[in-house]
Amino acid sequence: MRYAIASFAVMLTSGAAIAQDFELPGQMSWTAYDTGSAGYNQAVAIGAALQDAAGINLRVLPGKNDISRTEPLRQGRVEFSATGVGGSFMAQEGAFEFGAENWGPQPIRVLLANNGGAINLTVGVAGDEGIETFADLAGKRVAYIVGAPALNVNTEAYLAYGGLTWDDVERVEFGGFGASWTGLVEDEVDAAFAATNSGNAYEAAAGPRGLFWPPIDAEDTEAVERMQAIAPFLVPNTATVGATIDGTDGYEGAGYAYPVLIATDETDADLAYNMTKAMVELFPQYDGKAPGIAGWALDKQDMQWVVPYHEGAIRYFEEAGVWSDEAQKHNDDLIVRQEVLTAAWEALQEESPADWDAAWAERRREALGQAGLDVVF
């Protein structure tokens, strides 16, 4: 179908939906977080805009964790993934679950990211436990999501803010994000990580236990440094959107880009270009259709983030006049970082160490250090 500014003209074209400003397949698939999550709800809203504007059917496949969201992308079974720092930054780094011998550093490329700033990504606690600070989590039951390093590292970072580690709490394992929040409502756990605007958080707030978000004090530099030593992408932020937050003066917590729409370096440049273009040009159609969705706007993009942008997205940014020489230099440096990690991984594979996890953790840090790059994790 052809999408025009003022009218629609319908035509059949070998299964593709062709727009005046963008050309995409008539059927597409993304992976996203669990149903009920902010990422899933936003992907559905974007899909509705694509359907209304150009007849494009976007299938959103919920994934319980970073691995299950990234595997279909790696296999080419979906075009893109709406993920978080786990499926983007940690996948690039070959860290945590992505350090397993069957994974390794992934050539992730970003198209757009939700940098709204209206939400926080933080640890919420049951309102009936009397937990007021992150230090109060000592001895409490804290959710740990199997196969979701981003969620778990973020939770660990908030524990560190409170001067705690996983050893100071009772770690309760769940198979997915949604299950952890069901566990909070049903008194199986006392704390879990989420975006403040996730549907699960709203459900918890309306449940019998209630919901409370312990605050972050940006002036407590030592506590913030402990948090950022675990998760360097977390920054103090005032949220105005979310469960128990809507209609208030805001909640002082921390956040980062979420969701992040990613591809790989093998994704066709024209496809990435047109998907980026569609996301930007259809923004007025999906803006306001899900909590926190405003952060997808072009003027909210961080062109010097921690994962490189796809060449197709960069082509669109250049046409829109929002890409700079500094952004290109930063992007090139990030690609070099990925190449350093990949080379270290391939060299270690040839050695076939008996204890892969320990060997890769050491080799990874060694390779980054020798290249003069920041050593994270």
Side-chain angles (χ1 to χ4, degrees), residues 156-212:
E156 182 180 355
Y158 282 104
L159 291 175
Y161 176 91
L164 307 174
T165 71
W166 283 109
D167 292 336
D168 299 308
V169 300
E170 180 183 344
R171 193 174 90 172
V172 182
E173 294 189 354
F174 293 91
F177 164 81
S180 70
W181 278 83
T182 299
L184 189 141
V185 172
E186 296 180 353
D187 200 13
E188 297 174 356
V189 72
D190 303 314
F193 180 84
T196 55
N197 64 333
S198 69
N200 306 81
Y202 282 100
E203 291 175 9
R209 306 184 73 195
L211 178 66
F212 178 72

Side-chain angles (χ1 to χ4, degrees), residues 81-268:
S81 176
T83 189
V85 294
S88 55
F89 181 56
M90 294 176 191
Q92 163 190 278
E93 296 293 305
F96 303 102
E97 276 81 348
F98 292 102
E101 197 167 359
N102 64 330
W103 273 95
Q106 299 298 302
I108 300 298
R109 297 290 186 272
V110 175
L111 274 67
L112 286 175
N114 186 321
N115 292 287
I119 67 169
N120 282 333
L121 294 110
T122 185
V123 172
V125 302
D128 61 357
E129 286 292 321
I131 300 169
E132 297 183 356
T133 70
F134 288 107
D136 293 338
L137 286 172
K140 299 296 185 181
R141 300 168 297 174
V142 179
Y144 182 95
I145 315 304
V146 177
L151 301 182
N152 300 326
V153 166
N154 288 328
T155 299
E156 182 180 355
Y158 282 104
L159 291 175
Y161 176 91
L164 307 174
T165 71
W166 283 109
D167 292 336
D168 299 308
V169 300
E170 180 183 344
R171 193 174 90 172
V172 182
E173 294 189 354
F174 293 91
F177 164 81
S180 70
W181 278 83
T182 299
L184 189 141
V185 172
E186 296 180 353
D187 200 13
E188 297 174 356
V189 72
D190 303 314
F193 180 84
T196 55
N197 64 333
S198 69
N200 306 81
Y202 282 100
E203 291 175 9
R209 306 184 73 195
L211 178 66
F212 178 72
W213 306 104
I216 290 291
D217 179 3
E219 300 300 318
D220 188 344
T221 55
E222 290 186 3
V224 171
E225 286 175 0
R226 290 196 302 268
M227 177 180 71
Q228 292 179 332
I230 304 296
F233 40 79
L234 277 172
V235 294
N237 180 63
T238 302
T240 56
V241 175
T244 77
I245 301 170
D246 297 331
T248 72
D249 292 334
Y251 156 61
E252 301 296 331
Y256 55 82
Y258 165 78
V260 183
L261 187 62
I262 64 167
T264 73
D265 64 344
E266 294 185 357
T267 301
D268 180 75

Side-chain angles (χ1 to χ4, degrees), residues 6 12 17-18 20 35 50 74 86 101 123 153 158 160 201 219 229 255 260-261 273 280 286 329:
L12 298 177
I18 302 177
Q20 178 179 2
T35 54
L50 287 167
R74 179 167 72 155
E101 197 167 359
V123 172
V153 166
Y158 282 104
E219 300 300 318
V260 183
L261 187 62
Y273 168 83
V280 173
Y286 62 79
K329 172 63 166 58

Side-chain angles (χ1 to χ4, degrees), residues 308-331:
Y309 281 89
H310 195 285
E311 61 175 312
I314 292 172
R315 189 202 312 171
Y316 178 78
F317 296 151
E318 289 175 334
E319 291 179 359
V322 297
W323 191 251
S324 66
D325 292 342
E326 292 79 11
Q328 187 63 55
K329 172 63 166 58
H330 181 80
N331 214 71

Side-chain angles (χ1 to χ4, degrees), residues 29-65:
S29 296
W30 292 6
T31 58
Y33 277 73
D34 274 352
T35 54
S37 70
Y40 182 86
N41 292 341
Q42 291 179 26
V44 169
I46 292 165
L50 287 167
Q51 177 66 47
D52 291 343
I56 296 169
N57 179 27
L58 176 61
R59 185 185 181 198
V60 182
L61 307 177
K64 294 190 299 183
N65 54 50

